[in-house]
């Protein structure tokens, strides 16, 4: 009798392949399917020359793109203490080591100081290649220290988000980072120093719910997925079909959640102009 046979549990959907520019001489754009010479794509700041699809870039590439020249990395040695001794299919400590091997960083954010349009600026760039750009204690601490440094030296702050949200392997400690960073940003605000938040694909979960949306100016790259919960969870909760383009930059701009959507090739110029405007 098969009345009570358990339905096979659907496997979790495979996490989509990282949409970075793939290795090889030729690459296929995931959006327009055009076959492109890889060098042309990289020269174009990893934006498809045919359809302007924005490939994901690493934190270090991002910093090279935004700073005028050389930059000095801050707090490079901060490493997660694995406070819960967490393991799922693999021990968390092993995931941390794998992340380091893959990205040459000890956690999912690289913070640095350098010049932007000739002005000393602190920038934190999130690294999606490190456990999905998730925010744990180290990311929280690095952003907070970058804010404190900005206050000390009277510099503007920029954070480039690219994150799946809070890091579950650090449990509630990663959620606490939301409050900690928000409080530090309030002090930056009291010091009358600007914070420009740049949201890239994807910016979700606890990162959206805290600093990514707290910028004096919130700028996004075109087509970026930005939201708190994913569209499937929302659809299941409200039992409604979501509108076209929901949670993409352009939709959010139209609905007042963002100030600007800027093509990556124009981003540096827009950032310099914004800092000029905000710093006087
Ligand atoms: Zn394309």
């Amino acid at each position: 009798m098969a009345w009570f046979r358990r339905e096979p549990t659907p496997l979790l959907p495979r996490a989509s392949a990282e949409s970075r520019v793939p290795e090889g001489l030729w690459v296929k754009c995931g959006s327009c399917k055009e076959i492109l010479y890889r060098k042309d794509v990289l020269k174009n700041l990893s934006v498809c020359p045919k359809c302007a699809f924005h490939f994901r870039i690493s934190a270090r590439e991002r910093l090279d793109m935004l700073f005028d020249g050389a930059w000095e990395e801050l707090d490079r040695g901060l490493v997660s203490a694995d406070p819960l001794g967490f393991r799922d299919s693999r021990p968390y400590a092993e995931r941390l080591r794998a992340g380091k091997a893959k990205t040459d960083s000890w956690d999912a954010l690289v913070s640095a100081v350098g010049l932007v349009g000739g002005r000393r600026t602190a920038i934190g760039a999130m690294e999606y290649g490190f456990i999905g750009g998730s925010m744990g204690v180290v990311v929280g601490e690095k952003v907070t220290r970058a804010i404190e440094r900005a206050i000390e030296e009277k510099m503007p702050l920029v954070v480039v988000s690219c994150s799946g949200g809070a890091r579950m392997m650090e449990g509630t400690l990663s959620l606490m980072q939301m409050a900690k960073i928000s409080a530090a940003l309030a002090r930056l605000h009291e010091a009358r120093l600007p914070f420009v938040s740049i949201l890239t694909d994807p910016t979700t979960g606890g990162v959206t719910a805290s600093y990514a949306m707290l910028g004096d100016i919130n700028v996004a790259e075109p087509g970026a997925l930005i939201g708190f919960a994913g569209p499937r969870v929302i659809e299941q909760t409200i039992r409604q079909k979501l509108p076209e383009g929901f949670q993409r930059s352009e939709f959010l701009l139209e609905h007042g959640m963002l100030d600007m959507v800027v093509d990556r090739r124009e981003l540096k110029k827009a950032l310099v102009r914004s800092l000029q405007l905000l710093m006087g």
Side-chain angles (χ1 to χ4, degrees):
M1 295 288 279
W3 289 3
F4 298 112
R5 197 183 311 138
R6 195 187 284 259
E7 290 284 309
T9 348
L11 291 169
L12 287 172
R14 243 161 123 69
S16 62
E18 272 183 54
S19 47
R20 282 179 53 80
V21 179
E23 294 298 324
L25 197 54
W26 300 93
V27 300
K28 187 174 173 182
C29 171
S31 179
C32 69
K33 314 290 178 211
E34 187 80 21
I35 308 287
L36 306 156
Y37 193 37
R38 184 165 189 268
K39 270 196 187 149
D40 291 342
V41 182
L42 294 182
K43 228 189 300 166
N44 205 29
L45 300 178
S46 296
V47 174
C48 171
K50 289 279 179 310
C51 73
F53 172 75
H54 284 48
F55 289 91
R56 201 168 288 150
I57 61 174
S58 73
R60 289 172 198 283
E61 287 171 295
R62 178 69 68 177
L63 295 174
D64 285 340
M65 195 187 100
L66 293 179
F67 282 121
D68 298 347
W71 41 273
E72 175 205 342
E73 183 169 352
L74 307 172
D75 307 309
R76 176 167 167 82
L78 287 185
V79 185
S80 171
D82 188 9
L84 306 178
F86 191 88
R87 77 174 291 147
D88 44 66
S89 57
R90 274 162 82 189
Y92 174 41
E94 199 182 303
R95 286 185 192 278
L96 291 171
R97 279 196 297 273
K100 165 70 170 70
K102 190 169 156 196
T103 63
D104 189 33
S105 295
W106 287 105
D107 215 294
L109 181 125
V110 181
S111 53
V113 172
L115 298 178
V116 176
R119 187 190 306 274
R120 231 170 122 67
T121 304
I123 306 184
M126 299 194 75
E127 175 57 71
Y128 196 78
F130 196 105
I131 318 185
S134 51
M135 170 185 60
V137 172
V138 173
V139 169
E141 182 63 19
K142 278 183 157 184
V143 176
T144 307
R145 288 189 190 187
I147 297 168
E148 285 166 353
R149 180 86 173 242
I151 295 172
E152 220 168 274
E153 292 190 35
K154 299 189 169 43
M155 293 182 283
L157 173 81
V158 179
V159 177
V160 186
S161 295
C162 183
S163 173
R167 185 173 298 170
M168 60 152 192
M169 297 86 159
E170 293 183 12
T172 193
L173 292 172
S174 52
L175 296 182
M176 284 164 58
Q177 305 312 311
M178 297 166 64
K180 180 165 109 179
I181 297 170
S182 302
L185 283 174
R187 289 200 300 276
L188 186 77
H189 178 73
E190 277 162 25
R192 307 194 70 75
L193 292 163
F195 166 40
V196 176
S197 175
I198 301 176
L199 299 88
T200 71
D201 183 61
T203 297
T204 59
V207 169
T208 309
S210 57
Y211 55 91
M213 283 294 179
L214 290 177
D216 294 301
I217 300 183
N218 296 325
V219 192
E221 286 192 338
L225 174 74
I226 298 164
F228 180 62
R232 213 176 28 159
V233 173
I234 300 174
E235 272 183 340
Q236 282 167 4
T237 309
I238 64 171
R239 292 159 201 278
Q240 274 180 42
K241 192 99 197 86
L242 294 169
E244 185 74 25
F246 179 74
Q247 289 188 322
R248 294 285 163 184
S249 321
E250 295 73 13
F251 185 94
L252 295 175
L253 177 69
E254 212 175 292
H255 291 80
M257 294 283 284
L258 295 171
D259 300 301
M260 291 192 272
V261 175
V262 180
D263 188 294
R264 186 178 295 157
R265 292 162 290 184
E266 300 294 322
L267 194 56
K268 165 88 190 254
K269 230 189 316 170
L271 179 62
V272 171
R273 212 176 328 118
S274 301
L275 293 180
Q276 247 160 19
L277 191 77
L278 292 164
M279 294 289 285

